[in-house]
Amino acid sequence: RSSDLIPIAIQISQTPGADSPIFLPSDSEWDWTLAKIWVRHADFLAQEWHSHFLGTHAIIEVFVVSTIRQLPACHPVYKLLLPHFRYTLNSNAIAWNKLFARGEVFDRSTSIGTDQIPLFLKRGMDLVTYSSLCIPDRLRSEEH
């Protein structure tokens, strides 16, 4: 299809140099395939940690805990938010214990392993701003 994104070159490292080769479709089949696998894996990590976990579970957990600690159960905002927060803390706890713990799924199946998760999340948090959490502002910034 003409709308497919077709890579013409892949550079694994962000710093050009002798230790950072550029892979091309004309390279050996295995070199090109491994470079594409590397990119897909990096994209998966960014999607899973930055877009999904950080952008939904981790950030919303702050609002859940704040709401529970600061608003009385009879407060209208508390009552409005509670159905949306119902399983957040539980699902996050399960994720940390069953997916992200040492020796579990992410530790065994990704290149960053358990030890690099905090660094990866910190890098993602460095990109979070008030505007990035405000949907209308975010949509306007993505239009340009």
Side-chain angles (χ1 to χ4, degrees), residues 14 45-47 49-51 54-55 59 118-134 138 141-142:
Q14 292 185 8
L45 290 173
Q47 154 47 32
W49 286 108
H50 293 167
S51 300
L54 186 62
I59 286 181
L119 175 63
F120 207 74
L121 290 176
K122 182 195 176 312
R123 287 182 179 170
M125 278 303 296
D126 290 344
L127 302 173
V128 174
T129 63
Y130 176 77
S131 291
S132 72
L133 298 175
C134 181
R138 187 171 169 186
S141 72
E142 291 175 1

Short mmCIF file of all heavy atoms in Angstrom, two decimals, residues 14 45-47 49-51 54-55 59 118-134 138 141-142:
data_model
loop_
_atom_site.label_atom_id
_atom_site.label_comp_id
_atom_site.label_asym_id
_atom_site.label_seq_id
_atom_site.Cartn_x
_atom_site.Cartn_y
_atom_site.Cartn_z
N GLN A 14 21.86 6.84 18.69
CA GLN A 14 21.52 8.21 18.30
C GLN A 14 22.76 9.04 17.98
O GLN A 14 22.66 10.14 17.47
CB GLN A 14 20.71 8.88 19.39
CG GLN A 14 19.34 8.27 19.53
CD GLN A 14 18.49 9.02 20.53
OE1 GLN A 14 18.84 10.07 21.02
NE2 GLN A 14 17.34 8.45 20.83
N LEU A 45 8.68 -0.84 23.76
CA LEU A 45 9.01 -0.34 25.10
C LEU A 45 8.49 1.07 25.31
O LEU A 45 7.93 1.38 26.36
CB LEU A 45 10.53 -0.39 25.32
CG LEU A 45 11.13 -1.79 25.44
CD1 LEU A 45 12.65 -1.70 25.49
CD2 LEU A 45 10.59 -2.51 26.66
N ALA A 46 8.67 1.93 24.33
CA ALA A 46 8.17 3.30 24.45
C ALA A 46 6.66 3.31 24.57
O ALA A 46 6.10 4.03 25.40
CB ALA A 46 8.63 4.13 23.25
N GLN A 47 5.98 2.51 23.76
CA GLN A 47 4.52 2.45 23.82
C GLN A 47 4.06 1.91 25.16
O GLN A 47 3.19 2.47 25.81
CB GLN A 47 3.99 1.61 22.66
CG GLN A 47 2.66 0.92 22.80
CD GLN A 47 1.49 1.72 23.32
OE1 GLN A 47 1.40 2.90 23.08
NE2 GLN A 47 0.61 1.09 24.05
N TRP A 49 5.72 1.53 28.17
CA TRP A 49 6.09 2.27 29.37
C TRP A 49 5.65 3.72 29.36
O TRP A 49 5.07 4.20 30.32
CB TRP A 49 7.60 2.18 29.60
CG TRP A 49 7.96 0.82 30.10
CD1 TRP A 49 8.61 -0.15 29.41
CD2 TRP A 49 7.62 0.26 31.36
NE1 TRP A 49 8.70 -1.28 30.18
CE2 TRP A 49 8.12 -1.06 31.39
CE3 TRP A 49 6.96 0.74 32.48
CZ2 TRP A 49 7.96 -1.88 32.48
CZ3 TRP A 49 6.80 -0.09 33.58
CH2 TRP A 49 7.30 -1.39 33.56
N HIS A 50 5.93 4.44 28.28
CA HIS A 50 5.60 5.86 28.25
C HIS A 50 4.12 6.09 27.95
O HIS A 50 3.43 6.76 28.72
CB HIS A 50 6.46 6.60 27.22
CG HIS A 50 7.90 6.64 27.61
ND1 HIS A 50 8.88 7.02 26.73
CD2 HIS A 50 8.53 6.35 28.75
CE1 HIS A 50 10.04 6.96 27.34
NE2 HIS A 50 9.87 6.55 28.55
N SER A 51 3.64 5.55 26.86
CA SER A 51 2.26 5.83 26.45
C SER A 51 1.25 5.11 27.34
O SER A 51 0.30 5.72 27.81
CB SER A 51 2.05 5.43 25.00
OG SER A 51 2.92 6.14 24.17
N LEU A 54 2.84 4.70 31.95
CA LEU A 54 3.04 6.02 32.55
C LEU A 54 1.85 6.93 32.26
O LEU A 54 1.34 7.61 33.15
CB LEU A 54 4.33 6.64 32.01
CG LEU A 54 4.75 7.96 32.65
CD1 LEU A 54 5.01 7.79 34.13
CD2 LEU A 54 5.99 8.49 31.95
N GLY A 55 1.40 6.92 31.01
CA GLY A 55 0.33 7.82 30.61
C GLY A 55 -1.04 7.46 31.15
O GLY A 55 -1.95 8.29 31.16
N ILE A 59 0.25 7.78 36.21
CA ILE A 59 -0.20 9.16 36.44
C ILE A 59 -1.55 9.17 37.13
O ILE A 59 -1.77 9.94 38.06
CB ILE A 59 -0.21 9.97 35.13
CG1 ILE A 59 1.24 10.27 34.75
CG2 ILE A 59 -1.03 11.24 35.26
CD1 ILE A 59 1.43 11.08 33.51
N PRO A 118 12.90 2.00 36.37
CA PRO A 118 12.83 3.35 36.96
C PRO A 118 13.47 4.42 36.06
O PRO A 118 12.92 5.52 35.92
CB PRO A 118 13.60 3.21 38.28
CG PRO A 118 13.48 1.77 38.62
CD PRO A 118 13.50 1.04 37.31
N LEU A 119 14.59 4.10 35.43
CA LEU A 119 15.24 5.07 34.53
C LEU A 119 14.35 5.36 33.32
O LEU A 119 14.19 6.51 32.92
CB LEU A 119 16.60 4.54 34.07
CG LEU A 119 17.33 5.38 33.04
CD1 LEU A 119 17.67 6.76 33.61
CD2 LEU A 119 18.59 4.68 32.57
N PHE A 120 13.76 4.32 32.77
CA PHE A 120 12.88 4.48 31.61
C PHE A 120 11.67 5.34 31.97
O PHE A 120 11.27 6.23 31.22
CB PHE A 120 12.45 3.10 31.11
CG PHE A 120 12.13 3.05 29.65
CD1 PHE A 120 13.14 3.09 28.71
CD2 PHE A 120 10.83 2.97 29.22
CE1 PHE A 120 12.86 3.05 27.34
CE2 PHE A 120 10.52 2.92 27.87
CZ PHE A 120 11.54 2.96 26.93
N LEU A 121 11.08 5.09 33.16
CA LEU A 121 9.94 5.89 33.60
C LEU A 121 10.34 7.32 33.90
O LEU A 121 9.59 8.26 33.61
CB LEU A 121 9.30 5.25 34.83
CG LEU A 121 8.55 3.94 34.58
CD1 LEU A 121 8.05 3.35 35.88
CD2 LEU A 121 7.41 4.14 33.60
N LYS A 122 11.53 7.54 34.45
CA LYS A 122 11.99 8.89 34.73
C LYS A 122 12.15 9.68 33.43
O LYS A 122 11.74 10.84 33.34
CB LYS A 122 13.32 8.89 35.48
CG LYS A 122 13.79 10.29 35.83
CD LYS A 122 15.24 10.34 36.25
CE LYS A 122 15.72 11.74 36.50
NZ LYS A 122 15.40 12.72 35.47
N ARG A 123 12.70 9.04 32.42
CA ARG A 123 12.83 9.71 31.11
C ARG A 123 11.46 10.08 30.55
O ARG A 123 11.29 11.13 29.96
CB ARG A 123 13.59 8.84 30.13
CG ARG A 123 15.06 8.75 30.43
CD ARG A 123 15.78 7.92 29.41
NE ARG A 123 17.20 7.86 29.69
CZ ARG A 123 18.03 7.06 29.08
NH1 ARG A 123 17.61 6.25 28.12
NH2 ARG A 123 19.31 7.06 29.39
N GLY A 124 10.50 9.21 30.74
CA GLY A 124 9.14 9.51 30.30
C GLY A 124 8.52 10.65 31.10
O GLY A 124 7.86 11.53 30.54
N MET A 125 8.75 10.65 32.42
CA MET A 125 8.21 11.72 33.27
C MET A 125 8.83 13.07 32.94
O MET A 125 8.18 14.11 33.11
CB MET A 125 8.42 11.40 34.75
CG MET A 125 7.40 10.47 35.33
SD MET A 125 5.69 11.04 35.18
CE MET A 125 5.70 12.52 36.16
N ASP A 126 10.07 13.06 32.48
CA ASP A 126 10.72 14.32 32.10
C ASP A 126 9.98 15.01 30.95
O ASP A 126 10.11 16.22 30.76
CB ASP A 126 12.19 14.09 31.71
CG ASP A 126 13.06 13.73 32.90
OD1 ASP A 126 12.63 13.94 34.05
OD2 ASP A 126 14.17 13.22 32.68
N LEU A 127 9.21 14.24 30.19
CA LEU A 127 8.47 14.78 29.06
C LEU A 127 7.05 15.22 29.44
O LEU A 127 6.36 15.85 28.63
CB LEU A 127 8.38 13.74 27.94
CG LEU A 127 9.71 13.22 27.40
CD1 LEU A 127 9.48 12.07 26.43
CD2 LEU A 127 10.50 14.34 26.75
N VAL A 128 6.61 14.87 30.65
CA VAL A 128 5.25 15.19 31.07
C VAL A 128 5.19 16.65 31.53
O VAL A 128 5.99 17.09 32.35
CB VAL A 128 4.78 14.25 32.21
CG1 VAL A 128 3.42 14.68 32.75
CG2 VAL A 128 4.72 12.82 31.72
N THR A 129 4.23 17.36 30.97
CA THR A 129 3.95 18.74 31.37
C THR A 129 2.46 18.86 31.64
O THR A 129 1.69 17.95 31.29
CB THR A 129 4.33 19.74 30.26
OG1 THR A 129 3.51 19.47 29.11
CG2 THR A 129 5.80 19.63 29.88
N TYR A 130 2.06 19.96 32.22
CA TYR A 130 0.64 20.19 32.43
C TYR A 130 -0.10 20.14 31.10
O TYR A 130 -1.15 19.51 30.98
CB TYR A 130 0.39 21.52 33.14
CG TYR A 130 -1.08 21.81 33.28
CD1 TYR A 130 -1.84 21.16 34.25
CD2 TYR A 130 -1.71 22.69 32.40
CE1 TYR A 130 -3.19 21.40 34.36
CE2 TYR A 130 -3.07 22.93 32.51
CZ TYR A 130 -3.80 22.29 33.49
OH TYR A 130 -5.14 22.52 33.59
N SER A 131 0.47 20.78 30.08
CA SER A 131 -0.18 20.80 28.77
C SER A 131 -0.30 19.40 28.16
O SER A 131 -1.25 19.11 27.46
CB SER A 131 0.60 21.70 27.81
OG SER A 131 0.46 23.04 28.20
N SER A 132 0.68 18.54 28.45
CA SER A 132 0.61 17.19 27.89
C SER A 132 -0.50 16.37 28.55
O SER A 132 -0.95 15.38 27.98
CB SER A 132 1.95 16.47 28.01
OG SER A 132 2.23 16.12 29.35
N LEU A 133 -0.94 16.78 29.73
CA LEU A 133 -2.04 16.10 30.42
C LEU A 133 -3.40 16.71 30.08
O LEU A 133 -4.43 16.11 30.35
CB LEU A 133 -1.84 16.14 31.93
CG LEU A 133 -0.59 15.44 32.46
CD1 LEU A 133 -0.46 15.66 33.96
CD2 LEU A 133 -0.62 13.97 32.13
N CYS A 134 -3.39 17.88 29.50
CA CYS A 134 -4.62 18.59 29.13
C CYS A 134 -4.96 18.22 27.68
O CYS A 134 -4.26 18.65 26.76
CB CYS A 134 -4.42 20.09 29.30
SG CYS A 134 -5.87 21.05 28.89
N ARG A 138 -3.03 19.24 24.21
CA ARG A 138 -2.24 18.20 23.56
C ARG A 138 -2.67 18.01 22.11
O ARG A 138 -1.83 17.88 21.22
CB ARG A 138 -2.40 16.91 24.34
CG ARG A 138 -1.51 15.80 23.86
CD ARG A 138 -1.58 14.65 24.81
NE ARG A 138 -0.94 13.50 24.24
CZ ARG A 138 -0.96 12.32 24.81
NH1 ARG A 138 -1.57 12.14 25.95
NH2 ARG A 138 -0.37 11.30 24.24
N SER A 141 -1.35 20.87 20.03
CA SER A 141 0.09 20.80 19.79
C SER A 141 0.42 19.71 18.77
O SER A 141 1.41 19.82 18.04
CB SER A 141 0.85 20.55 21.09
OG SER A 141 0.65 19.23 21.54
N GLU A 142 -0.38 18.66 18.69
CA GLU A 142 -0.13 17.57 17.74
C GLU A 142 -0.59 17.92 16.34
O GLU A 142 -0.19 17.27 15.37
CB GLU A 142 -0.80 16.28 18.22
CG GLU A 142 -0.14 15.71 19.46
CD GLU A 142 -0.85 14.50 20.01
OE1 GLU A 142 -1.87 14.06 19.44
OE2 GLU A 142 -0.39 13.97 21.04
#
